[in-house]
Amino acid sequence: MALNSKAPEGPLAEKWDKHKFNVKLVNPANKRKYDVIVVGTGLAGASAAASLAELGYNVKAFTYHDSPRRAHSIAAQGGVNAAKNYQNDGDSVFRLFYDTIKGGDYRSREANVYRLAQVSVNIIDQCVAQGVPFAREYGGLLANRSFGGAQVSRTFYARGQTGQQLLLGAYSALSRQIAYGKVKMYTRSELLDVVVVDGQARGIVTRNLITGETQTHAAHAVVLATGGYGNVFYLSTNAMYCNATAAWRAHKKGAYFANPCFTQIHPTCIPVSGDYQSKLTLMSESLRNDGRVWVPKTKEMAERVRNNEVKPQDVQEDDRDYFLERKYPAFGNLVPRDVASRNAKQMCDEGRGVGSTGLAVYLDFSEIIKRTSAEAVSQKYGNLFAMYEKITDENPYERPMRIYPAVHYTMGGLWVDYNLQTTIPGLYATGECNFSDHGANRLGASALMQGLADGYFVIPSTIGDYLAATPPKPVTTDHPAFAEAKAGVQARVEQLLSIKGNRTPDEFHKKLGHLMWEYCGMARNAEGLKFAKAEIAKLRKEFWQDVKVVGSGEEMNQALEKAGRVADFLELGELMVDDALDRNESCGGHFREEYATEEGEAKRDDDHYAYVAAWEYTGDNQPERLNKEELVFENVKLTQRSYK
Amino acid sequence: MAGSNPNAKPMNLTLRVWRQPNHQASGQIVEYKVNEISPDMSFLEMLDVLNEDLLHKGQDPVAFDHDCREGICGSCALFINGRSHGPEKGTTTCQLHMRKFSDGETITIEPWRANAFPVNKDLSVDRSAFDRIIQAGGYVSVNTGGTPDGNEIPIPKDISDRAFEAATCIGCGACVAACKNASAMLFVSAKVSQLALLPQGQVEAQTRVENMVARMDIEGFGACSNIGSCAAECPVGISLENIAILNREFLTAKVVSNNMA
Amino acid sequence: MNWVTKTFTSSIGRKIIMSLTGLFLCTFLVVHLIGNFQLFKNDDGLAFNVYSHFMGHNPVIRTIEWGLVLGFGFHIYEALMLTMRNKSARSHGYDQWEAKKNSEWTSRNMGILGSIILVFLIVHLYNFFWRARFGTLDPDINKNDDLYRLVVSSFHQWWYVALYVAAQASLGYHLWHGFRSGFQTLGLNHRKYMPLITNFGYAFAVLVSASFASMPLYFYFFTNDEGAIITSAPAVLQHLLVAFN
């Protein structure tokens, strides 16, 4: 089936305005007759819930955390992009649009990306008005920094805690609506199913994580803002609770899953130190503004550094290879994430990696410290340096940081049209949960932008179009579909508890993560993917025979929660592999070894793969059906990305 | 395996962990042994080892809150060896590493203790009181859209920086846990002073501080005795100066606001 | 409740009363101390008795005295209210509690220190204030009540001196935390001035308590039963031997 993106006709710059004019409106008095469920309270969810409530809708918001303030958006470090052109350096809405499309390796939808660039400027205004303390210049105006994939300074930031500050802004707006009674907040409630009535999303089933109670909730529309699925890899920079369950449950109820294989491997993470490792920690991309990435020039020198015979700070300039600066003189250390990651991997594959495992490269600040001062560097990156030292017990002011790529973000997600509606009418997806704006690779500081754009500015307009066509009759959970979904959820919990096997959910998760990282990670090939597919299927089967969860479903049971999430990862992992196998090209974060230029760069195949792969669930243990949304580029010329 | 400390030897530890099935039930300290703990592990990774072990033995794993494991989400909340987030200054539990402990050590792990933070299970507590305090006024009342340009109001850099420092509070509750009085003043003051310092927040500064303090009292937190344990144990270094700002804001509001109630 | 009662029954409101009364009582300490320095005048207590007569009969002082009563009263009452509130904020304590690693002992024990001071205050008021105001003291040669005689005799009882010294130590610790804390509660914490306030508070605590404590010690060790100074060291020793026997 060809998918209709519903992107409006007309010139790019006018599409959004025109669309806002054309969508149906719900009159202010009627808005309070509509209930909207928002699942997830990160940037996309909290901003959507607050904004919808401000408009007058009755919102029910859900989070599995103990508070809406804890969503993983809070960990975003570097910043948020906006085409303000405050720096007078030639930025514009079109340039942000262009950089984002190009950065995404031409696998995103023009109309969406342009809209994102347009509303980016409103995000900054909104956040400032909320009291978000962005970094400022001495004159009192907002400061900017540069980020990967761009040659202008358009990133607004709050030291290394931009995500925290933006989330607390959205959380405060949400809190205000909770106080007004316009948002009913459900904390410690995990979505375990989406309820579809007569083809329309009408509610959700949740489990209270403290009491174990299964609850049903009805509404006229449901918005999923439940984040990405990077934890399919077990080790990632995602928070421990991040999971795919909400998106995957929606998928199984009929929402197509788009481009699942597009995952972002972030180049600057603290390397793995041991098997016990539970997660990886990102060192913000902003560090690449001032840090220089290098490895020893020769394998021999690398070996000596690995064995602690030579301290990295003592390696002579001539013995260092600043490989990003060497290969990409125009962008240098600020190439996009996928390029930086692949190059780091290449260096390590060549045997020039450092650290005890040989799986790390250096990010060196000695030059900037010499040029300015340690204090100036601390002003900018103090919290990141402190975090690095806590984790590694090494002082990055003296010794270069060791970094290695790690899974960070998933560009893929639920397929949505221009209105952010999934293929289930009435079910919307915002933020990282959807696939929409980043194509095959996301640029730094664009995730915060997208989450807030979706929540503050897009969903409040587009959801009205759907609701206006829905009668404002109260919705209840009386429909048999609710009872059915609830029974399904309870049966699954019972099943997980009844297996009483020998292996913990974590053990399965680790194994899956290892398969995904090895065969569907930074570089993939058909042979490995086929192997992984078979292994995942096997692992899934073992899971349902041998998983061990103790306790009951009527209490706080973290192992049970984990088991449910791992079960969904095991299904999603296979779809990611399928998608990676289907896409016989390299683009952005999806690097198929068979499809590379002579210089080892990703080689796209625009003639055959300029489409969004939207997968349709067809039943348990059935192959998923591929639907394509052809991508039409009217405003940019598709070129081989070059950052040289 | 560590890059930094190749000589670090694995440790064997005794853990004394508070176990409590749920809010209603009573609890007790239970002793466990964990072996072969790498000094490069984080404290929570050490607990992961314990929990995997318990699960294998068919016993109920220890419930505790955690999420980002980067020290920013504020979920983790363990009272370790008599101190909020353990012995290391300026550190959340998730960023506390086992190299701060020594082989053979006995470690006592308890939940935050405050009547305003009832125990959910084991080491997990309910901190929704904090959310209700924010709901009482920890925001600037602006709707989405129609806001002026971000550069319309210049804000002196030092003011903006101070507001930022107050705004970095992660809402973990270590201040309450460490305070002899289980007072939430440091938490409340961080938000009040962030918004009081910024011009955007000054518009409703008076009602904000009155309402937030009233809510804080209703939630059953203790009063501030200016002891300073809160700031000393705060993982992100929220300063006591904020409490002075809160006091000042409160006093000013009570004296000059038009609120008669 | 109207806004006034609401303000002063809130946790911060109560602290503000603690702070205002505490700082007011500090000024009282200064006045009391300056007056008491008359004790060191080697004139058989004549100057001291003039001073105590003035304090007991001047209408302005007598009016302020009521302020003092209220100051103590509120300070103690609010301390009780706050302590009760604070105790009820954590009914289940910790198994292990290492507060000494994050705070000063004095700051955590203001209640105990205050209670010692209160006990002292009752004894002190009964012994001096009560007897001066309502008792019948013999007049001195100026026809003032000879309170000095009572001071001298009181300060020659070892247990009385010990109580005084202990109470003054408590007062010192109480002030060590309380002075700075009072400013903090009023919101007077500025990075420029706080170090000054803090250090002044420390100096104040030490000087005031040491000065008050020096009085019983002085009389006990360095004066004879009449309050006259014993100057030579052997005489002091002899005096002490007598005192301890």
Side-chain angles (χ1 to χ4, degrees):
Chain A
M1 188 184 95
L3 285 161
N4 179 4
S5 73
K6 297 192 183 143
E9 297 297 319
L12 189 61
E14 291 167 23
K15 281 181 198 278
W16 177 229
D17 278 346
K18 217 167 115 186
H19 188 69
K20 279 195 285 187
F21 180 73
N22 286 333
V23 294
K24 289 189 270 307
L25 297 175
V26 180
N27 90 54
N30 273 348
K31 285 200 177 89
R32 64 180 131 86
K33 295 178 186 161
Y34 289 100
D35 299 336
V36 180
I37 282 173
V38 178
V39 187
T41 56
L43 285 178
S47 59
S51 303
L52 291 169
E54 285 161 10
L55 288 173
Y57 297 113
N58 306 309
V59 177
K60 294 181 198 172
F62 294 82
T63 173
Y64 52 63
H65 285 108
D66 65 331
S67 160
R69 66 182 294 152
R70 309 221 191 271
H72 193 52
S73 306
I74 206 151
Q77 298 170 352
V80 54
N81 287 330
K84 281 284 199 187
N85 193 29
Y86 281 161
Q87 305 305 322
N88 194 30
D89 57 359
D91 199 9
S92 64
V93 168
F94 193 87
R95 186 175 293 281
L96 176 53
F97 155 76
Y98 178 80
D99 286 348
T100 308
I101 284 270
K102 178 186 169 197
D105 221 356
Y106 307 99
R107 289 294 173 265
S108 42
R109 197 188 285 151
E110 274 193 346
N112 281 58
V113 177
Y114 194 84
R115 175 178 65 191
L116 176 66
Q118 276 178 306
V119 302
S120 69
V121 296
N122 305 109
I123 293 172
I124 302 306
D125 301 341
Q126 185 63 35
C127 295
V128 168
Q130 288 170 344
V132 170
F134 282 121
R136 286 177 184 269
E137 307 286 358
Y138 284 101
L141 302 185
L142 295 162
N144 289 119
R145 59 165 59 139
S146 328
F147 248 67
Q151 287 174 310
V152 293
S153 269
R154 62 158 78 95
T155 304
F156 294 79
Y157 64 99
R159 213 165 293 175
Q161 285 145 271
T162 319
Q164 180 198 29
Q165 294 309 315
L166 295 180
L167 182 64
L168 292 181
Y171 162 74
S172 72
L174 173 64
S175 296
R176 174 168 160 250
Q177 295 306 316
I178 296 171
Y180 289 170
K182 287 304 289 180
V183 174
K184 173 95 180 75
M185 186 71 229
Y186 296 83
T187 58
R188 301 244 195 208
S189 297
E190 179 165 30
L191 183 150
L192 291 181
D193 209 355
V194 173
V195 182
V196 179
V197 175
D198 302 329
Q200 292 178 309
R202 269 289 183 265
I204 58 171
V205 183
T206 59
R207 180 171 177 272
N208 181 312
L209 300 181
I210 301 296
T211 63
E213 192 192 346
T214 317
Q215 295 171 325
T216 51
H217 305 273
H220 294 90
V222 176
V223 180
L224 297 186
T226 52
Y229 50 89
N231 271 349
V232 110
F233 291 87
Y234 187 75
L235 283 183
S236 79
T237 64
N238 283 9
M240 300 297 287
Y241 294 162
C242 289
N243 67 81
T245 291
W248 194 250
R249 296 285 121 196
H251 175 58
K252 290 180 99 166
K253 280 289 169 84
Y256 293 0
F257 209 107
N259 298 337
C261 80
F262 286 173
T263 47
Q264 176 161 82
I265 316 287
H266 196 294
T268 50
C269 299
I270 300 178
V272 177
S273 72
D275 293 335
Y276 50 78
Q277 193 121 5
S278 58
K279 75 151 289 178
L280 295 171
T281 303
L282 177 75
M283 288 284 102
S284 167
E285 175 159 313
S286 60
L287 292 172
R288 283 199 277 145
N289 266 311
D290 293 308
R292 299 178 69 197
V293 179
W294 65 275
V295 287
K297 223 172 224 168
T298 59
K299 275 187 353 191
E300 293 69 38
M301 179 54 91
E303 174 92 40
R304 291 181 61 200
V305 173
R306 280 200 294 273
N307 294 336
N308 286 324
E309 290 162 28
V310 184
K311 282 190 190 151
Q313 57 268 45
D314 296 336
V315 175
Q316 297 299 310
E317 280 296 308
D318 285 351
D319 292 330
R320 299 178 176 198
D321 178 12
Y322 295 92
F323 55 94
L324 290 178
E325 295 172 25
R326 171 171 60 81
K327 291 170 80 172
Y328 309 97
F331 280 68
N333 293 300
L334 283 177
V335 291
R337 292 174 173 177
D338 54 335
V339 179
S341 293
R342 262 199 307 282
N343 275 283
K345 179 181 189 295
Q346 199 190 332
M347 295 304 128
C348 296
D349 289 350
E350 285 175 17
R352 294 198 280 149
V354 295
S356 59
T357 59
L359 289 176
V361 300
Y362 287 125
L363 180 62
D364 196 325
F365 295 89
S366 55
E367 193 193 279
I368 176 86
I369 290 173
K370 226 175 285 166
R371 188 151 41 89
T372 57
S373 67
E375 197 179 312
V377 171
S378 157
Q379 269 288 316
K380 253 176 160 170
Y381 308 117
N383 66 324
L384 297 171
F385 277 41
M387 185 152 76
Y388 180 85
E389 187 166 1
K390 263 177 206 157
I391 293 171
T392 62
D393 209 19
E394 290 175 4
N395 179 356
Y397 292 95
E398 288 165 6
R399 193 185 167 103
M401 280 185 182
R402 288 174 295 116
I403 54 163
Y404 197 66
V407 175
H408 180 55
Y409 187 88
T410 49
M411 282 74 70
L414 292 177
W415 184 89
V416 289
D417 62 16
Y418 189 70
N419 292 319
L420 305 183
Q421 186 166 245
T422 67
T423 47
I424 302 175
L427 181 71
Y428 292 77
T430 61
E432 190 179 351
C433 179
N434 73 30
F435 87 105
S436 69
D437 298 347
H438 307 297
N441 173 55
R442 178 176 66 76
L443 289 183
S446 284
L448 303 186
M449 171 170 71
Q450 187 222 335
L452 290 180
D454 287 358
Y456 281 135
F457 299 109
V458 180
I459 259 289
S461 296
T462 59
I463 206 168
D465 193 43
Y466 170 79
L467 291 174
T470 309
K473 286 186 306 197
V475 284
T476 66
T477 55
D478 295 341
H479 194 278
F482 280 93
E484 198 184 312
K486 184 176 174 179
V489 163
Q490 286 168 332
R492 197 169 125 107
V493 167
E494 284 312 312
Q495 195 186 351
L496 287 168
L497 287 164
S498 66
I499 297 167
K500 298 189 176 18
N502 297 308
R503 290 155 75 187
T504 66
D506 242 31
E507 286 168 329
F508 283 101
H509 193 186
K510 261 186 200 176
K511 181 107 191 263
L512 171 69
H514 183 74
L515 285 168
M516 296 302 295
W517 179 245
E518 284 302 315
Y519 302 104
C520 197
M522 255 190 292
R524 302 135 181 208
N525 60 53
E527 196 190 338
L529 288 165
K530 282 177 191 151
F531 173 77
K533 184 174 162 65
E535 286 294 306
I536 294 169
K538 215 161 79 190
L539 190 64
R540 190 165 60 236
K541 206 169 150 211
E542 287 168 25
F543 176 89
W544 287 104
Q545 290 165 349
D546 198 27
V547 75
K548 178 161 191 154
V549 180
V550 299
S552 80
E554 283 80 48
E555 58 176 343
M556 187 173 180
N557 189 335
Q558 291 175 320
L560 176 65
E561 293 164 26
K562 179 81 201 245
R565 293 167 194 167
V566 173
D568 289 334
F569 280 141
L570 282 163
E571 295 178 15
L572 171 59
E574 191 173 338
L575 182 64
M576 290 167 69
V577 170
D578 282 338
D579 188 44
L581 260 174
D582 171 73
R583 195 168 278 278
N584 291 313
E585 64 161 351
S586 292
C587 58
H590 170 65
F591 188 75
R592 281 280 297 271
E593 286 164 347
E594 306 96 310
Y595 308 99
T597 64
E598 278 171 16
E599 292 151 315
E601 303 293 339
K603 194 165 144 195
R604 286 199 325 268
D605 178 356
D606 294 328
D607 294 339
H608 298 100
Y609 291 97
Y611 63 74
V612 176
W615 297 88
E616 179 183 357
Y617 184 77
T618 57
D620 282 340
N621 299 314
Q622 299 292 315
E624 298 228 356
R625 188 181 300 131
L626 175 63
N627 300 276
K628 295 177 184 174
E629 179 200 339
E630 296 298 335
L631 291 169
V632 184
F633 295 92
E634 293 166 339
N635 300 279
V636 294
K637 204 167 135 254
L638 274 64
T639 53
Q640 170 71 39
R641 277 192 316 170
S642 170
Y643 292 95
K644 288 196 184 293
Chain B
M1 192 119 178
S4 49
N5 198 0
N7 303 322
K9 295 262 182 313
M11 304 184 282
N12 297 337
L13 302 163
T14 304
L15 305 178
R16 300 174 67 241
V17 184
W18 180 260
R19 302 301 310 262
Q20 180 176 342
N22 55 55
H23 174 51
Q24 288 81 19
S26 60
Q28 59 182 348
I29 297 238
V30 178
E31 218 171 89
Y32 301 99
K33 302 263 184 221
V34 283
N35 296 329
E36 294 293 302
I37 296 300
S38 159
D40 284 327
M41 276 186 194
S42 72
F43 197 84
L44 297 183
E45 283 166 348
M46 182 275 293
L47 285 182
D48 290 343
V49 171
L50 170 68
N51 275 347
E52 285 290 288
D53 190 39
L54 288 175
L55 200 48
H56 273 296
K57 290 180 188 156
Q59 295 174 22
D60 195 17
V62 179
F64 60 90
D65 285 314
H66 65 108
D67 194 25
C68 78
R69 299 205 176 186
E70 294 180 17
I72 192 77
C73 75
S75 295
C76 60
L78 301 183
F79 206 75
I80 301 163
N81 282 349
R83 297 180 67 184
S84 299
H85 295 300
E88 196 182 3
K89 197 173 163 57
T91 305
T92 54
T93 302
C94 64
Q95 294 284 287
L96 175 66
H97 281 69
M98 295 313 293
R99 63 179 81 95
K100 301 286 167 189
F101 299 88
S102 43
D103 189 27
E105 194 171 335
T106 298
I107 304 173
T108 304
I109 312 169
E110 297 174 82
W112 284 175
R113 295 285 187 201
N115 291 9
F117 290 165
V119 172
N120 293 317
K121 181 181 178 179
D122 300 338
L123 303 170
S124 163
V125 297
D126 177 354
R127 288 167 286 187
S128 53
F130 272 9
D131 289 322
R132 290 188 292 274
I133 293 173
I134 297 294
Q135 286 155 21
Y139 43 74
V140 176
S141 297
V142 289
N143 282 354
T144 305
T147 48
D149 185 88
N151 262 349
E152 196 113 309
I153 322 164
I155 303 174
K157 184 169 159 44
D158 68 315
I159 298 288
S160 168
D161 285 352
R162 282 175 66 197
F164 168 80
E165 276 157 26
T168 56
C169 167
I170 59 174
C172 66
C175 46
V176 174
C179 176
K180 177 175 169 271
N181 307 334
S183 169
M185 285 283 278
L186 193 67
F187 169 79
V188 177
S189 74
K191 188 48 74 183
V192 165
S193 62
Q194 175 205 343
L195 295 176
L197 284 161
L198 296 171
Q200 301 94 307
Q202 275 160 12
V203 178
E204 48 192 334
Q206 292 175 356
T207 48
R208 174 181 308 116
V209 69
E210 290 188 315
N211 293 338
M212 287 180 75
V213 169
R215 188 72 227 179
M216 171 182 88
D217 286 351
I218 291 169
E219 294 293 343
F221 292 102
C224 177
S225 299
N226 303 321
I227 295 170
S229 308
C230 52
E233 301 288 27
C234 175
V236 295
I238 302 294
S239 141
L240 283 182
E241 218 176 300
N242 292 305
I243 294 186
I245 295 178
L246 168 62
N247 289 332
R248 192 157 72 219
E249 287 288 313
F250 178 81
L251 191 56
T252 317
K254 285 297 182 189
V255 174
V256 303
S257 82
N258 291 323
N259 178 15
M260 298 301 292
Chain C
M1 280 196 290
N2 70 13
W3 72 272
V4 180
T5 50
K6 230 178 183 170
T7 301
F8 293 109
T9 53
S10 72
S11 60
I12 299 184
R14 288 194 190 281
K15 283 296 297 181
I16 288 170
I17 296 176
M18 283 298 281
S19 155
L20 291 173
T21 51
L23 292 172
F24 168 66
L25 294 175
C26 284
T27 63
F28 156 73
L29 287 176
V30 174
V31 174
H32 193 3
L33 183 65
I34 292 171
N36 281 15
F37 277 135
Q38 313 302 322
L39 285 171
F40 291 124
K41 202 167 177 193
N42 200 11
D43 63 349
D44 202 24
L46 294 181
F48 179 76
N49 288 342
V50 170
Y51 152 73
S52 61
H53 181 83
F54 172 79
M55 295 305 273
H57 294 85
N58 182 288
V60 177
I61 300 291
R62 291 292 295 266
T63 312
I64 294 175
E65 201 173 84
W66 283 107
L68 202 57
V69 171
L70 287 176
F72 272 110
F74 272 107
H75 199 74
I76 294 162
Y77 171 75
E78 295 299 355
L80 282 173
M81 290 293 113
L82 285 164
T83 305
M84 272 155 56
R85 173 187 194 96
N86 295 343
K87 291 280 171 225
S88 68
R90 178 178 292 133
S91 40
H92 192 299
Y94 292 102
D95 187 72
Q96 193 180 346
W97 172 252
E98 298 288 339
K100 61 180 178 294
K101 291 187 175 146
N102 58 39
S103 53
E104 287 183 348
W105 182 86
T106 57
S107 67
R108 297 192 309 273
N109 291 286
M110 293 295 276
I112 293 169
L113 295 168
S115 303
I116 296 171
I117 297 168
L118 179 62
V119 170
F120 158 78
L121 194 65
I122 293 166
V123 175
H124 179 68
L125 284 177
Y126 171 74
N127 192 41
F128 292 127
F129 178 81
W130 195 264
R131 290 207 218 161
R133 182 67 53 82
F134 306 110
T136 45
L137 293 172
D138 295 331
D140 65 8
I141 53 170
N142 294 334
K143 304 270 188 320
N144 289 323
D145 286 351
D146 197 354
L147 187 60
Y148 181 76
R149 203 61 53 204
L150 181 58
V151 170
V152 172
S153 64
S154 301
F155 288 167
H156 275 93
Q157 299 173 71
W158 70 266
W159 63 271
Y160 206 84
V161 173
L163 172 69
Y164 264 63
V165 173
Q168 293 315 313
S170 299
L171 177 66
Y173 281 119
H174 201 77
L175 291 173
W176 184 269
H177 173 71
F179 191 88
R180 176 181 57 86
S181 178
F183 284 85
Q184 165 83 2
T185 297
L186 294 177
L188 302 173
N189 178 341
H190 189 281
R191 50 189 71 179
K192 274 185 184 163
Y193 310 113
M194 204 56 197
L196 181 74
I197 293 171
T198 305
N199 290 326
F200 183 85
Y202 292 161
F204 184 82
V206 173
L207 287 175
V208 167
S209 57
S211 303
F212 274 122
S214 70
M215 291 160 190
L217 291 171
Y218 163 77
F219 281 101
Y220 190 74
F221 289 112
F222 299 110
T223 67
N224 62 22
D225 292 348
E226 299 298 308
I229 302 180
I230 313 167
T231 45
S232 72
V236 170
L237 280 175
Q238 196 179 6
H239 162 73
L240 286 179
L241 280 172
V242 173
F244 279 111
N245 290 324

